[in-house]
Amino acid sequence: MALSEQDRIDINDLINLHGHLTDAGELDEALELLTPDVTYDVGDLGLGALHGTAAIRDAALALGDANPVGHHVTNIVITQIDEHSARARSKGIGIKADGTAGSVVYDDVITRRPDGWKIHYRKVTARRAPLGGRKQEAGPHEVLERWRQASVSQSADDMSRLYAADAVHEFPFTAPGLPSRLEGRDAIVTWIAAGWKDNPLKYERYRTLAVHDTGDPKTIIVEQEAFGTSASTGEFTLPNIVVLTVREGQIARLRDYVNIPAATAALGREV
């Protein structure tokens, strides 16, 4: 048998009334809305799981002035389990006496008793981060811009955050004394930071000439130019191509096609 319209009205009233009675300090009346063997799980708030109405009353009194002065319950969604029970999910906004507020989610199991619907189980989960803490992973275009900015600012910390722990940075075009492949975040960042210290080149900005998407949405090919100044030769322009692959918002592999003649000229050296 499906829940009737009146059942749904009664369950809504039950959840709303509990907040009203609690805020008014009418704890005995509020606890009558729960089954005697209720479980009230407030572990996410640091209070553990409370079993039975007496434990809930004691916890509320122990909190004292730390209790919210207003419970505002919204967005109630009811899903039937069977003709004698249902699940209800709602959102709660708690207002403290000092004006601060917090948001929680109530997950309830409601049971039908001879004297009406009662809350048999409630779990309270605090909401602390937007979108449930989910963040969209940075794609290769965004990671490229962060990598450029870290190069301009010469920030080893920023560069370290950009590379995955097992990242690979390759130099298909290289020269004697220069690596062709670096493996692992630590080795990559250590080498880059040493270059900032030892070389008289200071990057100031980048210009994108072309960006080519590939069959892999996490890989792009970039034609670019780096502009800056050299302590040896003054202003320079370094063209290069990079093939950038990201994984979970970090650089997994970077193939850096450095223009060796242009780089050595900027350094005031011969190829």
Side-chain angles (χ1 to χ4, degrees), residues 104-140:
V104 299
V105 170
Y106 298 124
D107 285 297
D108 298 336
V109 175
I110 315 291
T111 59
R112 190 198 304 268
R113 296 298 176 100
D115 55 344
W117 291 95
K118 306 288 183 182
I119 299 172
H120 177 63
Y121 171 85
R122 168 167 284 185
K123 181 175 181 179
V124 185
T125 305
R127 310 307 301 168
R128 299 184 175 91
L131 302 178
R134 294 181 177 86
K135 295 184 179 180
Q136 184 176 356
E137 293 178 1

XYZ file of all heavy atoms in Angstrom, residues 104-140:
301
model
N 22.997 21.179 8.152
C 23.114 19.734 8.314
C 22.105 19.047 7.402
O 21.204 19.681 6.858
C 22.856 19.284 9.776
C 23.870 19.903 10.730
C 21.427 19.610 10.205
N 22.290 17.746 7.261
C 21.306 16.903 6.599
C 20.790 15.901 7.621
O 21.575 15.291 8.361
C 21.918 16.178 5.387
C 20.944 15.111 4.855
C 22.260 17.162 4.288
N 19.466 15.748 7.698
C 18.840 14.733 8.541
C 18.436 13.556 7.659
O 17.694 13.719 6.690
C 17.585 15.278 9.226
C 17.797 16.439 10.161
C 17.105 17.630 9.973
C 18.672 16.345 11.239
C 17.274 18.703 10.829
C 18.858 17.412 12.103
C 18.153 18.594 11.895
O 18.340 19.649 12.742
N 18.921 12.374 7.998
C 18.466 11.136 7.359
C 17.683 10.352 8.402
O 18.244 9.864 9.398
C 19.656 10.321 6.854
C 20.269 10.918 5.602
O 19.558 10.972 4.579
O 21.435 11.336 5.645
N 16.373 10.250 8.194
C 15.481 9.655 9.181
C 14.849 8.372 8.659
O 14.592 8.222 7.462
C 14.337 10.618 9.528
C 14.825 11.922 10.164
O 15.927 11.925 10.736
O 14.080 12.914 10.077
N 14.585 7.462 9.594
C 13.680 6.348 9.344
C 12.467 6.590 10.235
O 12.597 6.726 11.461
C 14.329 4.990 9.668
C 13.300 3.866 9.518
C 15.520 4.733 8.750
N 11.305 6.679 9.601
C 10.061 6.986 10.290
C 9.204 5.728 10.319
O 9.073 5.029 9.301
C 9.286 8.101 9.552
C 10.219 9.248 9.133
C 8.131 8.603 10.398
C 10.758 10.055 10.252
N 8.635 5.398 11.476
C 7.792 4.203 11.572
C 6.387 4.592 12.027
O 6.193 5.545 12.780
C 8.387 3.177 12.555
O 8.507 3.769 13.850
C 9.766 2.728 12.087
N 5.422 3.802 11.537
C 4.030 4.028 11.907
C 3.726 3.253 13.193
O 3.892 2.044 13.258
C 3.096 3.558 10.790
C 1.632 3.972 10.986
C 0.713 3.130 10.107
N 1.043 3.181 8.700
C 0.522 4.053 7.832
N -0.345 4.959 8.248
N 0.861 3.996 6.553
N 3.303 3.958 14.212
C 2.917 3.370 15.493
C 1.415 3.564 15.700
O 0.790 4.372 15.000
C 3.704 4.016 16.629
C 5.220 3.784 16.581
C 5.553 2.293 16.707
N 6.970 2.015 16.581
C 7.772 1.795 17.629
N 7.290 1.856 18.857
N 9.045 1.526 17.419
N 0.817 2.853 16.692
C -0.612 3.044 16.931
C -0.995 4.495 17.204
O -2.109 4.926 16.870
C -0.866 2.155 18.157
C 0.168 1.082 18.061
C 1.382 1.769 17.518
N -0.037 5.268 17.787
C -0.327 6.672 18.085
C 0.253 7.624 17.036
O 0.386 8.827 17.293
C 0.192 7.044 19.475
C 1.674 6.741 19.650
O 2.231 5.974 18.830
O 2.283 7.262 20.605
N 0.586 7.084 15.846
C 1.034 7.947 14.760
C 2.459 7.656 14.327
O 3.121 6.741 14.822
N 2.944 8.455 13.386
C 4.303 8.308 12.862
C 5.318 8.816 13.876
O 5.114 9.852 14.507
C 4.455 9.078 11.558
C 3.693 8.491 10.408
C 2.460 8.842 9.975
C 4.134 7.428 9.559
N 2.075 8.078 8.909
C 3.103 7.197 8.618
C 5.283 6.656 9.479
C 3.183 6.232 7.627
C 5.376 5.699 8.484
C 4.334 5.485 7.575
N 6.438 8.072 14.030
C 7.499 8.433 14.969
C 8.861 8.290 14.278
O 9.036 7.468 13.374
C 7.481 7.517 16.203
C 6.146 7.436 16.922
C 5.825 8.706 17.673
C 4.506 8.558 18.443
N 4.142 9.806 19.161
N 9.816 9.078 14.748
C 11.196 8.958 14.249
C 11.876 7.820 14.997
O 12.014 7.863 16.224
C 11.973 10.275 14.449
C 11.305 11.413 13.671
C 13.432 10.106 14.003
C 11.904 12.781 13.960
N 12.290 6.794 14.253
C 12.934 5.633 14.855
C 14.462 5.723 14.768
O 15.174 5.152 15.598
C 12.453 4.365 14.151
C 13.101 3.105 14.639
N 12.960 2.648 15.937
C 13.907 2.204 13.999
C 13.649 1.529 16.084
N 14.238 1.241 14.939
N 14.943 6.430 13.757
C 16.388 6.571 13.560
C 16.644 7.917 12.898
O 15.906 8.319 11.989
C 16.919 5.457 12.654
C 18.359 5.635 12.208
C 19.414 5.202 13.005
C 18.658 6.241 10.990
C 20.734 5.370 12.593
C 19.962 6.405 10.577
C 21.002 5.968 11.376
O 22.299 6.147 10.962
N 17.657 8.614 13.370
C 18.068 9.864 12.718
C 19.584 9.943 12.707
O 20.242 9.725 13.734
C 17.496 11.079 13.434
C 18.124 12.407 12.980
C 17.352 13.630 13.447
N 16.144 13.820 12.637
C 15.343 14.868 12.763
N 15.601 15.805 13.662
N 14.267 14.972 11.991
N 20.126 10.268 11.547
C 21.556 10.555 11.426
C 21.694 12.008 11.008
O 21.064 12.449 10.045
C 22.228 9.652 10.392
C 23.730 9.912 10.253
C 24.394 8.928 9.312
C 25.902 9.196 9.227
N 26.580 8.235 8.331
N 22.529 12.736 11.724
C 22.750 14.151 11.447
C 24.150 14.299 10.853
O 25.145 13.923 11.479
C 22.629 15.002 12.724
C 22.752 16.483 12.389
C 21.300 14.723 13.426
N 24.223 14.834 9.645
C 25.508 15.016 8.961
C 25.719 16.483 8.664
O 24.883 17.117 8.015
C 25.547 14.227 7.636
O 25.245 12.851 7.893
C 26.916 14.333 6.985
N 26.814 17.033 9.153
C 27.116 18.446 8.922
C 27.565 18.661 7.493
O 28.270 17.828 6.917
C 28.187 18.923 9.895
N 27.156 19.782 6.924
C 27.619 20.170 5.595
C 28.709 21.209 5.777
O 28.470 22.278 6.334
C 26.473 20.759 4.761
C 25.211 19.918 4.741
C 25.483 18.491 4.341
N 26.083 18.388 3.028
C 26.625 17.286 2.558
N 26.691 16.201 3.299
N 27.138 17.268 1.353
N 29.908 20.883 5.328
C 31.062 21.744 5.579
C 31.723 22.261 4.303
O 32.586 23.127 4.374
C 32.100 20.989 6.416
C 31.579 20.540 7.786
C 32.685 19.882 8.603
N 32.248 19.554 9.937
C 31.713 18.383 10.294
N 31.559 17.449 9.365
N 31.340 18.150 11.536
N 31.362 21.701 3.168
C 32.035 22.100 1.923
C 31.012 22.173 0.794
O 30.088 21.357 0.735
C 33.137 21.100 1.562
N 31.158 23.144 -0.106
C 30.241 23.235 -1.248
C 30.310 21.982 -2.114
O 31.352 21.318 -2.194
C 30.749 24.461 -2.026
C 31.556 25.245 -1.038
C 32.159 24.228 -0.102
N 29.199 21.654 -2.740
C 29.109 20.520 -3.663
C 29.518 19.210 -3.008
O 30.069 18.318 -3.647
C 29.966 20.777 -4.916
C 29.617 22.026 -5.722
C 30.578 22.175 -6.890
C 28.179 21.981 -6.211
N 29.263 19.123 -1.691
C 29.616 17.898 -0.996
C 31.101 17.632 -0.945
O 31.534 16.502 -0.744
N 31.903 18.685 -1.115
C 33.349 18.526 -1.109
C 33.923 18.111 -2.436
O 35.140 17.981 -2.586
N 33.049 17.910 -3.424
C 33.546 17.514 -4.740
C 34.093 18.727 -5.478
O 33.476 19.781 -5.487
C 32.437 16.871 -5.565
C 31.952 15.544 -5.002
C 30.868 14.966 -5.889
N 30.419 13.672 -5.432
C 29.479 13.476 -4.525
N 28.888 14.532 -3.971
N 29.125 12.269 -4.155
N 35.215 18.544 -6.075
C 35.833 19.618 -6.856
C 36.139 19.104 -8.261
O 36.614 17.978 -8.427
C 37.126 20.107 -6.198
C 36.904 20.758 -4.844
C 38.196 21.300 -4.285
C 37.973 21.976 -2.944
N 39.228 22.516 -2.379
N 35.842 19.935 -9.209
C 36.160 19.552 -10.587
C 37.666 19.542 -10.783
O 38.363 20.479 -10.409
C 35.511 20.537 -11.564
C 35.710 20.158 -13.022
C 34.977 21.096 -13.954
O 34.269 21.984 -13.511
N 35.151 20.900 -15.238
N 38.140 18.454 -11.340
C 39.570 18.345 -11.568
C 40.008 19.345 -12.632
O 39.315 19.565 -13.626
C 39.918 16.924 -12.029
C 39.703 15.862 -10.971
C 40.010 14.478 -11.505
O 40.407 14.375 -12.688
O 39.848 13.507 -10.758
N 41.150 19.940 -12.388
C 41.690 20.858 -13.387
C 42.078 20.078 -14.639
O 42.701 19.016 -14.569
C 42.904 21.585 -12.816
N 41.691 20.600 -15.801
C 42.044 19.973 -17.060
C 43.392 20.463 -17.553
O 44.050 21.302 -16.914
N 43.845 19.968 -18.695
C 45.190 20.316 -19.173
C 45.357 21.799 -19.477
O 46.442 22.338 -19.291
C 45.355 19.452 -20.429
C 43.964 19.081 -20.840
C 43.183 18.981 -19.565
